[in-house]
Amino acid sequence: MTNLRKLKYVNKLKVSLVSLGCPKNLVDSEVMLGHLPSDRYEIILDESQADIIIVNTCAFINDAKEESVDTILEVSDYKEQGHCQLLVVAGCLPQRYQEVLKDQLPEVDLFIGTSEGPLIVELIEQQLQSKTPGEVVGSPDYLYDHRTPRVNSSPTYSSYVKIAEGCSNHCSYCIIPQLRGKLRSRSIASVVEETQNLAAQGVTEIILIAQDITDYGADRNDGASLVKLLKELVKVDKVIWIRLLYAYPDGVSDELIELIATEEKICKYLDLPLQHIDDHLLTQMNRHLDEAQTRELVQRLRDKIPDLTLRTSFIVGFPGETNEQFNKLLKFVEEGHFERVGVFRYSREEGTAAAKFPEQVPARTKKSRLNKLMKAQARVSFSKNRSLVGSTELVLVEGYSDETDLLLKGRSARQAPEIDGQFLITSGVADVGEYVQLKITDSSEYDLIGEMVED
């Protein structure tokens, strides 16, 4: 795997890729870039200078669709004002709306689906010779492995590793199975080999991702499971942190909890999407734990992993959600179970079961409920951060602060990249990618402030 910022080419077609959506989409973007042969293509960051622009889209909810379309229209200006000869739109948006996109986005030269990334060179070269817009959208059945070329656009010390593709959970509000297909898990050997290759290149933080990592291996006949995978990954030399994202609550076993609690390399951090706490709404969502089971799981996690950082996500405004049901969720958040909470307004997505449910909640109500929930969690987050003042944590240094080059910034095991807060480092010197001990001296709602501890 090659780092994006180290690539240098001359006199080749310049390609710029805009990746939208989640880290799983980012991995797909990196795979597309990895398939571009270096003797013919140069990867650049500036769309205005690109001969070819690729937009890898997200279409999970309405906001994501709007962002995708806005981005496509924005970069399409470079066909007249820049150097762009070919505009390619890839991923979830074409996979979902292949029948109508050609007419609605005539600026686009080529649409490709979620499984066509490995064909990117062939499709680009065909399209460069064609004068009519093209479209190649097949079944969503692709799964990359350790042999797949990939350009790492993350920092040199960190990388996402997608251990499975697709999903077989069929939550009533979710379009993912239609966009990504059913669950397809990689072999343990493949994931381990990719991790070994990354570690050899200097990556020290491995972030395991899938739509549901706890379902990993359920589709295979070789006994693969998340626990068995983790027991192999912790053996990889030079890896310091293994982070787990998107662990569905019904798949969190006692064995997994014990492994997180006892294995030093596995971050004491879990992203556990719950979506709601009301039993009726959970049933309507086709979620598999009720309130009592959810509370029992959260308590078990806290008992077994006392220093755990727990992240979750909730949906407000699901069809039929009453004030009473929302207030129940609000009280649950105010009880302070979570260090991190993400809140989403329910998005009525055609093709899902919930889109047909009666009693759709007005947009204004959804917005109000989201704001109330986030304000409640901000108070919880501030209190939890204040409780850490005076303690010492291992922090990964990520460079200078975005606000001033007088301060370094970093993350601890408590903080996933992009979605959580950060550490501001007020004293000491360290290189990017270095791990240092920090004493926490202050905090805000989401960020922590600390100074390096002398050895």
Side-chain angles (χ1 to χ4, degrees):
M1 189 177 293
T2 310
N3 187 269
L4 181 61
R5 287 169 293 189
K6 292 183 178 179
L7 292 173
K8 294 182 180 179
Y9 310 95
V10 291
N11 300 324
K12 300 163 188 175
L13 284 173
K14 296 178 179 178
V15 180
S16 183
L17 190 150
V18 182
S19 189
L20 304 174
C22 66
K24 299 183 290 295
N25 226 33
L26 178 63
V27 171
D28 295 343
S29 298
E30 294 174 345
V31 166
M32 270 191 280
L33 293 177
H35 278 83
L36 298 175
S38 60
D39 62 337
R40 286 179 283 169
Y41 297 92
E42 174 186 357
I43 301 169
I44 65 172
L45 300 177
D46 185 355
E47 294 97 6
S48 70
Q49 300 301 310
D51 302 301
I52 300 168
I53 300 175
I54 304 171
V55 182
N56 193 19
T57 59
C58 178
F60 178 49
I61 57 176
N62 191 59
D63 288 348
K65 289 181 285 187
E66 290 181 358
E67 182 187 20
S68 292
V69 172
D70 288 346
T71 301
I72 292 165
L73 295 175
E74 180 181 336
V75 300
S76 71
D77 289 342
Y78 293 123
K79 296 183 75 173
E80 295 183 3
Q81 302 171 8
H83 299 82
C84 183
Q85 304 172 36
L86 187 68
L87 175 56
V88 181
V89 170
C92 294
L93 197 69
Q95 191 72 43
R96 187 171 181 185
Y97 297 110
Q98 54 187 288
E99 298 86 0
V100 298
L101 284 185
K102 270 189 182 181
D103 293 333
Q104 295 188 357
L105 293 171
E107 302 87 349
V108 177
D109 300 294
L110 175 63
F111 294 98
I112 65 175
T114 55
S115 286
E116 279 67 50
L119 304 175
I120 189 66
V121 174
E122 175 186 341
L123 296 175
I124 281 176
E125 294 183 354
Q126 287 177 359
Q127 197 61 36
L128 286 171
Q129 299 175 26
S130 174
K131 295 184 179 179
T132 58
E135 177 186 70
V136 182
V137 179
S139 299
D141 55 9
Y142 177 70
L143 180 64
Y144 92 103
D145 63 23
H146 61 284
R147 298 162 296 186
T148 304
R150 180 181 159 199
V151 171
N152 185 15
S153 60
S154 298
T156 56
Y157 48 79
S158 181
S159 182
Y160 295 100
V161 173
K162 192 192 293 191
I163 63 175
E165 182 60 275
C167 186
S168 297
N169 287 325
H170 298 288
C171 299
S172 67
Y173 51 82
C174 185
I175 198 71
I176 291 296
Q178 298 176 44
L179 302 180
R180 295 287 178 171
K182 63 183 180 180
L183 175 70
R184 307 181 300 285
S185 303
R186 296 169 59 187
S187 70
I188 288 177
S190 175
V191 178
V192 170
E193 186 161 346
E194 182 182 11
T195 301
Q196 290 171 333
N197 294 338
L198 288 166
Q201 296 168 33
V203 172
T204 57
E205 179 187 34
I206 298 294
I207 307 172
L208 300 186
I209 55 173
Q211 194 63 35
D212 174 7
I213 61 170
T214 54
D215 208 22
Y216 168 79
D219 58 312
R220 300 182 63 88
N221 297 316
D222 58 2
S225 68
L226 180 60
V227 168
K228 289 181 179 178
L229 173 63
L230 289 170
K231 287 181 177 179
E232 295 303 315
L233 290 180
V234 296
K235 300 175 186 176
V236 178
D237 291 338
K238 299 181 181 177
V239 170
I240 295 175
W241 286 346
I242 299 173
R243 189 180 298 278
L244 309 180
L245 295 187
Y246 322 125
Y248 277 44
D250 52 299
V252 178
S253 64
D254 288 339
E255 191 177 9
L256 177 60
I257 294 173
E258 183 67 21
L259 189 61
I260 297 172
T262 56
E263 178 49 57
E264 183 178 351
K265 287 187 177 183
I266 301 176
C267 293
K268 306 302 180 280
Y269 176 105
L270 197 61
D271 189 318
L272 190 76
L274 297 177
Q275 311 306 7
H276 217 282
I277 196 62
D278 179 78
D279 285 350
H280 175 71
L281 290 180
L282 288 168
T283 298
Q284 292 292 94
M285 291 178 176
N286 197 29
R287 304 292 288 186
H288 301 144
L289 294 189
D290 61 18
E291 178 185 359
Q293 292 167 321
T294 298
R295 287 182 176 276
E296 190 275 332
L297 172 60
V298 170
Q299 189 59 53
R300 189 155 32 102
L301 284 163
R302 292 299 185 192
D303 290 343
K304 296 290 185 180
I305 317 171
D307 55 345
L308 177 70
T309 293
L310 198 54
R311 179 180 181 86
T312 194
S313 57
F314 295 114
I315 296 172
V316 295
F318 188 80
E321 184 187 49
T322 64
N323 286 332
E324 182 182 6
Q325 289 167 327
F326 169 72
N327 287 330
K328 185 176 185 179
L329 176 60
L330 179 62
K331 183 176 183 298
F332 183 58
V333 168
E334 290 173 338
E335 290 170 9
H337 300 287
F338 310 101
E339 283 76 14
R340 321 266 186 257
V341 170
V343 183
F344 298 90
R345 287 173 288 186
Y346 167 73
S347 181
R348 189 178 189 178
E349 298 300 323
E350 66 273 22
T352 65
K356 300 176 183 177
F357 289 176
E359 301 180 82
Q360 297 286 329
V361 176
R364 184 169 60 180
T365 303
K366 295 179 192 176
K367 183 177 179 180
S368 173
R369 289 174 179 176
L370 182 148
N371 290 338
K372 287 180 182 178
L373 215 57
M374 289 307 298
K375 286 180 181 178
Q377 179 58 31
R379 293 189 291 269
V380 172
S381 297
F382 182 70
S383 175
K384 287 182 176 292
N385 275 352
R386 290 299 298 171
S387 71
L388 297 173
V389 173
S391 64
T392 301
E393 298 227 341
L394 185 69
V395 170
L396 170 59
V397 178
E398 296 199 292
Y400 289 110
S401 163
D402 298 331
E403 275 122 32
T404 172
D405 58 7
L406 299 177
L407 296 177
L408 292 172
K409 66 178 180 180
R411 290 183 290 110
S412 75
R414 299 179 185 276
Q415 298 158 321
E418 306 296 333
I419 58 174
D420 294 329
Q422 63 182 352
F423 265 86
L424 295 177
I425 304 170
T426 58
S427 69
V429 178
D431 294 328
V432 173
E434 184 178 349
Y435 292 79
V436 298
Q437 290 288 341
L438 287 189
K439 182 178 180 180
I440 301 172
T441 58
D442 205 351
S443 68
S444 66
E445 289 176 354
Y446 301 111
D447 296 331
L448 293 161
I449 299 168
E451 55 189 17
M452 290 189 199
V453 177
E454 298 294 334
D455 293 334

